[in-house]
């Protein structure tokens, strides 16, 4: 049974033009042991004034009043963000009208000839109202938490890319430059030495240094791809060519145009998505072919990386430590986009990134006149 706390005093507004019905309602509530302050109003203007200046725990309303109905009162109350439960208490309302009123958001209705049930109806309406408020608060808190998480994710992604760019510059300026200088010196020693053994060691050292220079260049490209300066299409084609060279798996790139206009942050998200998708394919998919489609039709950037490999078990997508795929989802959100992963075991996988371009100011495409 639904009950009201014994120490709770309710502030109730009663919209009723009949003084006798109001007194009968008050008597019913007193006999039930319900503690309340019952305020009666019989005009729409006074009802609006009172609900504007003070809070009420619940509103009881006759359906038909001189010159207006309870629905006119409800139309005023429902605009308030924390409005109280609204109960129809009438002897002149049909069941169809009562159902329509509840569909509008009114808490409940009760016929006046069943007035002894009023305390129970009030208690139930309050319980539902409190549950709804608790749910709305939980949803609001969850949305706020998700916004904070999204902001943190965006900050972390930005910080990571900035740190990657800084490390790439240090590798290029310091390590790369030092390795190149040492390689020249070793080559000079090899050319000017008359000792055959010395020449062999110098050649071996020069070869190792060249390998280290190549490794540093690959690391720089992964940290901060300068190929993006040539545009997204060229960058994705470069990724596909590198994937095909390393894996021996054909990777075909199809683009809706030779150059796709997008801001630097969108291009970077698309590039990282393609990079991660190709990395996952090389590790797990074992496909025969890979297709990459790029499009900017209808002001939406779409990147689709598809393979015909062994696919992904759906439960793998839900693994708590599937950070690579989860990271792609979060990356997409940082630029207002979304990611879809479609896969069936034995039938390949498709990773689709979609980012609206209308809300972003796009720079000139590479090669356009400034």
């Amino acid at each position: 049974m639904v009950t009201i706390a014994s120490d709770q005093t309710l502030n109730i507004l009663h919209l009723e033009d009949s003084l006798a019905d109001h007194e009968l309602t008050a008597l019913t509530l007193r006999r039930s042991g319900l503690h309340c302050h019952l305020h009666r109003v019989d005009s729409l203007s006074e009802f609006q004034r009172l609900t504007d200046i003070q809070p009420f725990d619940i509103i009881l309303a006759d359906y038909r009043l001189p010159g207006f109905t309870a629905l006119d009162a409800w139309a005023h109350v429902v605009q308030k963000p924390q409005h109280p439960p609204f109960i129809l208490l009438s002897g002149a309302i049909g069941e169809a009208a009562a159902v329509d009123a509840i569909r509008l958001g009114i808490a409940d209705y009760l016929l006046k000839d069943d007035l002894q049930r009023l305390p129970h109806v009030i208690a139930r309406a309050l319980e539902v109202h409190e549950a709804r408020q608790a749910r709305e608060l939980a949803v609001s808190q969850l949305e706020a938490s998700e916004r904070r998480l999204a902001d943190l994710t965006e900050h972390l992604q930005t910080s990571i890319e900035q740190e990657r760019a800084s490390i790439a510059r240090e590798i290029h300026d310091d390590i790369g430059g030092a390795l190149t200088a040492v390689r020249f010196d070793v080559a000079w020693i090899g050319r000017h030495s008359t000792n055959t053994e010395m020449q062999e060691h110098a050649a071996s050292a020069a070869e190792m240094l060249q390998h280290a220079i190549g490794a540093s260049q690959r690391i720089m490209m992964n940290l901060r791809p300068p190929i993006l300066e040539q545009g997204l299409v060229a960058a994705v084609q470069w990724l596909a060519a590198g994937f095909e060279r390393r894996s021996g798996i054909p990777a075909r790139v199809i683009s809706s145009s030779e150059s796709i206009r997008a801001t630097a942050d969108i291009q970077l998200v698309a590039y990282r998505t393609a990079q991660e998708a190709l990395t996952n394919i090389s590790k797990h998919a074992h496909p025969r072919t890979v297709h990459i489609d790029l499009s900017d039709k209808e002001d939406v950037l779409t990147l689709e990386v598809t393979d015909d490999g062994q696919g992904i078990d759906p439960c793998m997508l839900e693994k708590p430590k599937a950070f690579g795929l989860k990271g792609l989802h979060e990356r997409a959100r940082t630029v207002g986009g979304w990611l879809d992963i479609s896969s069936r075991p034995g039938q390949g996988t498709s990773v689709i990134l979609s980012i609206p371009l209308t809300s972003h100011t796009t720079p000139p495409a590479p090669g356009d006149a400034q």
Side-chain angles (χ1 to χ4, degrees), residues 17 68 113 132 142 163 190 219 253 308 326:
D17 60 331
F68 68 101
D113 57 8
R132 182 181 295 113
L142 178 60
E163 187 65 21
I219 292 170
V253 179
D308 58 358
K326 288 182 172 62

Side-chain angles (χ1 to χ4, degrees), residues 185-195 198-199 202-203:
D185 286 340
V186 169
W188 184 90
I189 292 171
R191 288 196 306 271
H192 291 81
S193 175
T194 58
N195 186 301
M198 180 72 74
Q199 291 174 344

Side-chain angles (χ1 to χ4, degrees), residues 71-86:
L71 298 184
D72 298 310
W74 169 248
H76 178 75
V77 171
V78 75
Q79 299 175 17
K80 302 181 183 301
Q82 298 295 331
H83 62 80
F86 193 106

Side-chain angles (χ1 to χ4, degrees), residues 8 10 14 30 120 124 140 186 192 209 250 268 299 311 324 359:
Q8 183 178 4
L10 300 179
H14 191 194
R30 283 198 304 272
H120 175 78
R124 183 176 61 190
S140 175
V186 169
H192 291 81
L209 285 167
L268 185 57
D299 288 326
S359 60

Side-chain angles (χ1 to χ4, degrees), residues 244-263:
E244 186 171 323
R245 185 174 59 254
R246 291 189 303 273
S247 66
I249 301 169
R252 184 183 180 189
V253 179
I254 299 175
S255 177
S256 61
S257 59
E258 293 183 0
S259 62
I260 290 181
R261 296 173 181 268
T263 57

Side-chain angles (χ1 to χ4, degrees), residues 226-235 258-259 267 366:
I227 189 67
L228 275 175
E229 295 176 2
Q230 304 301 316
L232 181 59
V233 176
E258 293 183 0
S259 62
Q267 291 191 48

